[in-house]
Each structure stands twice: as C-alpha cells, then as structure tokens.
Amino acid sequence: SVSPTLRATIGANSNIQATNLTVTSQTESSADTQTAGVSTGTLAVAVSTAGATVSPTLETSVGSNALINATGDITLQSLHNRNANGTYIFKGANALATAPAGGLIGLTGAFASATSSANLDSFVSSGATLNADDISVLAKSYNKATAASAGLSVGLLSLGAAVVVTNTDGVTKAHYDGNIGNATNLTVNAIADDYAQADTTALAGGLVAANVNSANANVGSTVTTYIGNNANLHVTNDIQVKAESN
C-alpha cells in the first residue's frame, strides 16, 4: 500500500509580494504486487492472493487572511500521476496472482485486487486576498488500477477459480473561497481521469473439471469545483470554473 500525505501551503496571515508564485504538491506513486502458489501431489491445493493500493492525499492551499500581490501569475496545483501540462505519468496500482496445481485432485484459487484512490484538494481559504495577472487553482489526478489472476488445475477431479476486482475512486477538488482585489483571469479546474482493468483466466482439466472466472472493474471518482459563497472577486476578463472526469 502506498498512501503518502503531502501539503504545500501558504500560511494564514502571510503577506507576500512576488513576480510569479507557484505552489505545487505532486505525487508519482505506484504499487506492484505479484504472487504465485504452486502445488502438486495426490491432493494439490494452490491459493494465491495479491493486493495493491495507491491512495495519496494532497493539499495545496493559501491560508485564511493571507495577502499575496504578484505582478505576474499565481498558480496553486495538486498533481497525482500527472505533469503540470496535464499529461499522464503512467503509474498506479497493479496486482497479479497465479495459482497452478496438478494432482489426482487439483484445486486452485487466484485472487487479485487493485485500488487507485487519490484525494486532492487545491483551494484559497476564506479571507485570503490575491492580486495578480492570471490566477489558477488546479487539481489533476490520474488513477490507474490493473489486476489479473490465473488459476490452472489438472487432475482426475479439478476445480479452478480466478477472481479479480479493480477500483479507481477518490476525490479531486479545486475551489476558491477567498477574495480577488484585481486579476485579469481566474481559472478553477479539477480533472480526474480513471483507468481500471480486470483480467481473469481459470482453467481446469480432468475427468471432472470446473472453472470459475469473475472480473469486476469499478470507476467512481468524485470531481468538484466551486467558488465559495462569500468570495469577492474583481476579475477584468474571464472566470472559468470546470470539473472534468474521463
């Protein structure tokens, strides 16, 4: 299991003068597990279980009552397995379980599960005031989970079972609760892309043979963006607030 917690924060009541200001929290996380169970004999039983989880927590923020004046741009960004330009970093949770068995009676079970569940939160707190050209509050995640299992049983009586479950979920959130004294553009975007794949193979051979395959791939990320109820914004051009999931 890979579950780091990262926080990049401009503290409450800070007073900052800058040309450009960028605050970033970023994870590049993967978890890979592989198991194999092998059994031979008159009664051969092989069971293999593999599980992998990636569940980081990222927070990028400006604290309450902070004042930031920038002659250029201000950017807050939380990134999980993505670069700042939005391209993917192809990492995630991957699990593989194999279980071959051979004997007069052969029983196999291969069980694999993978979960990718990042939680991101980028925000400007209530009471904070920012002044800049372009202000961007961004949260971008890529949740990838793959799992595969294979069970092979050979015998006079044989049973093979393979079960796989993959889950991609988590929360990707960007919100602006503070104030803007003066800015040209404001962008508040949250983007979550999920990929879940589950593959199973269960084979049984013998006078009496049975096999069971079960594969489930679940995608359930939550993506949220908003402007806070008490925000006071003075923006001369565009305000974009967008939540996107793929």
Side-chain angles (χ1 to χ4, degrees), residues 227-242:
I227 302 294
N229 291 335
N230 297 312
N232 190 343
L233 310 178
H234 297 274
V235 178
T236 56
N237 285 347
D238 298 328
I239 296 177
Q240 182 189 78
V241 181
K242 182 172 69 172

Side-chain angles (χ1 to χ4, degrees), residues 129-132 135 176 179-183 232-235:
T129 300
L130 277 57
N131 299 287
I135 298 174
Y176 200 105
N179 306 310
I180 294 178
N182 184 47
N232 190 343
L233 310 178
H234 297 274
V235 178

Side-chain angles (χ1 to χ4, degrees), residues 103-232:
L104 183 63
I105 299 174
L107 305 173
T108 65
F111 308 93
S113 66
T115 298
S116 186
S117 175
N119 294 291
L120 284 65
D121 194 3
S122 298
F123 62 94
V124 175
S125 298
S126 177
T129 300
L130 277 57
N131 299 287
D133 185 11
D134 290 341
I135 298 174
S136 300
V137 181
L138 311 171
K140 303 176 182 179
S141 64
Y142 175 57
N143 294 303
K144 174 177 176 285
T146 65
S149 65
L152 172 61
S153 177
V154 178
L156 183 65
L157 170 62
S158 62
L159 172 64
V163 178
V164 170
V165 178
T166 59
N167 298 290
T168 60
D169 48 27
V171 177
T172 301
K173 181 164 61 174
H175 50 110
Y176 200 105
D177 301 303
N179 306 310
I180 294 178
N182 184 47
T184 303
N185 299 290
L186 170 63
T187 301
V188 183
N189 282 0
I191 303 171
D193 290 341
D194 296 332
Y195 177 84
Q197 179 176 334
D199 298 306
T200 65
T201 303
L203 300 175
L207 182 62
V208 178
N211 62 72
V212 177
N213 286 285
S214 176
N216 291 283
N218 306 302
V219 175
S221 288
T222 300
V223 185
T224 304
T225 58
Y226 61 86
I227 302 294
N229 291 335
N230 297 312
N232 190 343

Side-chain angles (χ1 to χ4, degrees), residues 11-38:
N13 302 305
S14 296
N15 191 321
I16 297 175
Q17 313 295 317
T19 302
N20 297 293
L21 176 65
T22 300
V23 183
T24 302
S25 58
Q26 183 175 20
T27 52
E28 298 181 16
S29 303
S30 63
D32 300 281
T33 60
Q34 181 173 336
T35 62
V38 179

